[in-house]
Every structure is written in C-alpha cells, then in structure tokens.
Amino acid sequence: MQPRDLSDHVAYEAGRGIEEVARELDRDPSEFVKLASNENPHGPSPAAAVAIRETASSVSSYPKAAHADLTSAVADRWNVADEQVWLANGGDGAIDYLHRAVLEPGDSILVPAPGFAYYGMSSRYHHGDVREYDLSKADDFTQDAETVLEHYDGDRAIFLTSPHNPTGSTIPLEEVAKLADATDDETLVVVDEAYGEFADRDSAVALLEGRDGFEARDDVAVLRTFSKAYGLAGVRLGYAVVPGEWADAYARVNTPFAASELACRAGIAAVDDDEHVERTVETARDSRAYMREHIDAHVWESEGNFALVDVGDASAVAEEMQQRGVIVRDCSSFGLPGCIRITCGTEDETERAVETVNDVLAALDLETGPSDEADDPDAEVVDS
C-alpha cells in the first residue's frame, strides 16, 4: 500500500527558528534574533493572551459558540454578513476551503512567481493544476492587471498577493477590478491580504460590497489572517471574506469546527485590540524606512512587515548573518537567489540586522544591486 502519486507536490518549508539554529550551532538561543518568518516583534495581542489563559479550562468543549461569536465580530469589522466570513485554521486553511468550493479535477489556478507556495500546494491536493504569472525584478515586482492577463487562460482562480510576499508590492483596487472584468464569469479572483494591515491601501472587500465607487462583485474573495498584525501565528487563525451569493457553500466545504476554541477566543479579543495593531504597524513602517535608508544595498519599497534586499548572494549572506546571530530569509527558494528578506523587528532588532548585513556585505565584498540577474523560474517557493 502506497499513497497516491505525490511527485508533483512540494513540501512546505518554514523559516528556521531560534532553537533549531542554536542547537545546530551549539550556541545559546539568547544570542540570536529571528527576522525570517514575518512574525510580530511585539508578540501576541495582550487581549488575546488574556483570553487564551482564561479559555484554557474550557477546551474540553467544541467551539460552536466561540466560532459563531468570532464570525460575527469579523463580519462587523468589515460590515459584511456573517455568512460571508469563512473562518479557517490559518490563511492556508481558507485557501483550502476556496479550492474545495471552486475546483473540479483538472481545473487550473494562476499564481504569482515568486509567491506563496501553498496556493499551488492546495490546488494539487484538490487535483487541480497550477500555472504561474511572473512578477519581474526588472519592473520592481509591479503588480497590475495586464501582467496577470498576459498569462491568463481561463483559469478557475487567480491569486493576487497584496502586499506581496516576499517583495512588499501591492496592487491597486482599480487593477483588481479591471482583472475581474477581463476574466471569465467562472474565474474567481482571490486577493490575499495577509499583510493588509501594514499597507496604506483599502481592502479588496470594497469590491465585494460595491463600495468606494466600485460595482459589487460575485467573483472576488479576500483572504485575511490573525498571524501577522495581531501576533497570533501560533494559534493558526485566518478567514476568507466571500461574495454574499456563497452563503450556503461554507457548511459544505469546511471541516467540523474550523478553528479551535482557543483560536476563536483569542480572535474575538484581538479583533478589537486596535492599540496593539497600531503599535505593530508603526513599528513596521519605522523599520522599513530605517532599512531602506541604512542598508548598503538595494532595498525595495515594501508595504508589508518585511523588506526585500538585493545582496548578490543570498545563501552566503544569510548563512554569515546567522553565524553572527541574525536569522533572515534566504529567498533562493522564491527564485530570487540574490535576495534576502528581513522581517521588520523592534528598533533594536532592526538596527542590529542593518549593522550585521552591512558588515557581512563588506566582509564578503559582494556586488549588490539592484542586479540584472534573472530570476530562477524553476525554483520552488516554500515560505510564508
């Protein structure tokens, strides 16, 4: 007995943690700072942390009430109907639900390259195919409808990431609407806004609801997560906001109790913790600006909680920075072998990261960019 043919699937590879690196190098974990996984440097929402502690004694019960309460709180936040909010076990769980709702075997999805591996992974799990559209380094990873439409071929779903990981670029809502207008009626445009709180742009939820001068649409869905701005990556909580016409589909595609009791109670507390989110967003903006001003290499403008840096040789720079106690993301796995991604940290963490990368660049005497190297089209994208 063997599993089905999984040769076309890739394994998800998360960013390395402090404990893992410290064990490998036989060092004390306190020597390291991790700026590789776009986590919140201020930790979880304090209100959510309290809710988790208070909920611990009730985890023997299924989260039916908590699930309904969180759904209602998120719906109120976006001024949509409860039925439009599909809670999930992280943003990746919401991707699974959308694929269950739209994909037939053999259908294709269109995803950005570089981009989030799980779009394609989930499609393959559901017996769908994966095609890519390229975001060009030469064009500073600009996102617009034309770029996507050049590769569109009747795909069942198109994924946009705004802000985009790992580059930090965004796509204007006018371009999303243009893309949706130009594609087939049965093509779903999914706007992944996992880093949306950090961007100075309105959410694509406006397109679903016909706000801000846009026509209401039934072919756009939006992904959001509690992992980044709310600091709840460890509880795995995300959601999709879908068209109102999809009300009956969620009950048919979700797993029983899609989010845990702890996750739901944490989310209910966090969704109103504006102070924590505002502090987190301010820290990210300051960190991005500091990196762009002080790193001795090209740093792309970003609207996420991270910055992409052209260092010439990502593997060498990331390895040497790790030896010096700063863990960053080698973006070779994204098809960007000359780039590293640095998560926005606290003021002290950011200053340490900048000093370290500059020292490493000087020590290795690398030629930095923006370079003319070609992106690697065959690289597997593996990070969040």
Side-chain angles (χ1 to χ4, degrees):
M1 175 67 186
Q2 295 291 324
R4 67 184 173 99
D5 183 8
L6 299 173
S7 58
D8 289 339
H9 294 247
V10 297
Y12 184 84
E13 182 181 326
R16 306 188 71 199
I18 288 176
E19 293 78 9
E20 176 188 1
V21 172
R23 283 196 302 269
E24 179 181 299
L25 299 180
D26 195 25
R27 304 253 294 273
D28 190 309
S30 64
E31 298 178 29
F32 295 89
V33 58
K34 179 188 177 187
L35 299 175
S37 296
N38 299 342
E39 294 158 337
N40 192 318
H42 298 303
S45 153
V50 171
I52 290 171
R53 288 193 295 269
E54 293 179 346
T55 304
S57 62
S58 63
V59 295
S60 57
S61 300
Y62 289 111
K64 186 173 182 180
H67 194 281
D69 291 345
L70 177 57
T71 298
S72 180
V74 172
D76 286 347
R77 191 76 171 181
W78 292 110
N79 194 25
V80 298
D82 289 9
E83 294 77 12
Q84 292 179 257
V85 176
W86 291 10
L87 296 184
N89 181 26
D92 44 337
I95 294 168
D96 282 339
Y97 291 160
L98 292 177
H99 283 157
R100 292 180 193 180
V102 303
L103 289 184
E104 298 281 358
D107 283 347
S108 64
I109 67 169
L110 187 61
V111 305
F116 182 33
Y118 198 75
Y119 303 147
M121 292 170 66
S122 176
S123 178
R124 293 186 180 103
Y125 295 155
H126 295 88
H127 303 280
D129 295 326
V130 184
R131 302 189 326 102
E132 296 180 340
Y133 63 91
D134 298 322
L135 299 181
S136 170
K137 178 190 292 187
D139 294 331
D140 290 329
F141 307 104
T142 297
Q143 298 191 69
D144 54 36
E146 182 180 358
T147 298
V148 182
L149 289 170
E150 287 176 355
H151 297 81
Y152 174 70
D153 188 21
D155 305 280
R156 192 69 166 96
I158 297 172
F159 281 85
L160 309 171
T161 315
S162 185
H164 176 261
N165 175 31
T167 70
S169 69
T170 57
I171 183 167
L173 294 192
E174 292 80 6
E175 293 296 308
V176 180
K178 186 187 301 183
L179 176 61
D181 282 337
T183 51
D184 296 344
D185 290 343
E186 296 304 310
T187 294
L188 177 68
V189 178
V190 184
V191 187
D192 185 346
E193 297 179 346
Y195 301 95
E197 287 84 0
F198 300 100
D200 189 21
R201 289 194 181 275
D202 293 332
S203 171
V205 171
L207 300 180
L208 279 75
E209 298 302 293
R211 300 172 191 156
D212 303 331
F214 292 103
E215 178 185 353
R217 312 198 63 97
D218 64 359
D219 55 357
V220 173
V222 177
L223 298 175
R224 285 270 172 162
T225 182
F226 283 85
S227 294
K228 309 302 181 182
Y230 294 99
L232 297 180
V235 304
R236 311 306 303 126
L237 181 62
Y239 58 92
V241 183
V242 304
E245 294 84 347
W246 292 38
D248 295 337
Y250 183 49
R252 301 174 186 271
V253 300
N254 74 331
T255 55
F257 307 108
S260 73
E261 176 76 9
L262 288 177
C264 287
R265 291 302 175 192
I268 292 167
V271 75
D272 290 324
D273 194 348
D274 294 335
E275 181 179 350
H276 183 70
V277 172
E278 289 169 4
R279 179 189 182 203
T280 298
V281 170
E282 182 179 2
T283 294
R285 288 173 178 164
D286 290 345
S287 178
R288 292 187 320 229
Y290 187 87
M291 285 191 277
R292 279 183 57 80
E293 182 176 353
H294 292 94
I295 290 179
D296 297 331
H298 182 69
V299 182
W300 278 272
E301 290 190 25
S302 170
E303 292 199 58
N305 66 336
F306 52 84
L308 185 71
V309 187
D310 196 326
V311 295
D313 185 338
S315 296
V317 170
E319 176 63 29
E320 183 59 29
M321 289 185 69
Q322 180 176 281
Q323 292 287 339
R324 299 181 186 215
V326 179
I327 306 170
V328 298
R329 184 62 178 177
D330 172 0
C331 288
S332 298
S333 57
F334 284 98
L336 299 172
C339 299
I340 61 172
R341 188 192 66 196
I342 305 176
T343 300
C344 295
T346 62
E347 183 176 350
D348 289 345
E349 290 170 341
T350 299
E351 290 177 356
R352 180 178 174 185
V354 168
E355 180 180 4
T356 302
V357 70
N358 286 343
D359 288 348
V360 168
L361 290 173
L364 296 179
D365 193 25
L366 291 170
E367 182 177 345
T368 62
S371 70
D372 294 326
E373 72 173 25
D375 302 343
D376 181 359
D378 298 320
E380 295 287 2
V381 287
V382 295
D383 196 17
S384 63

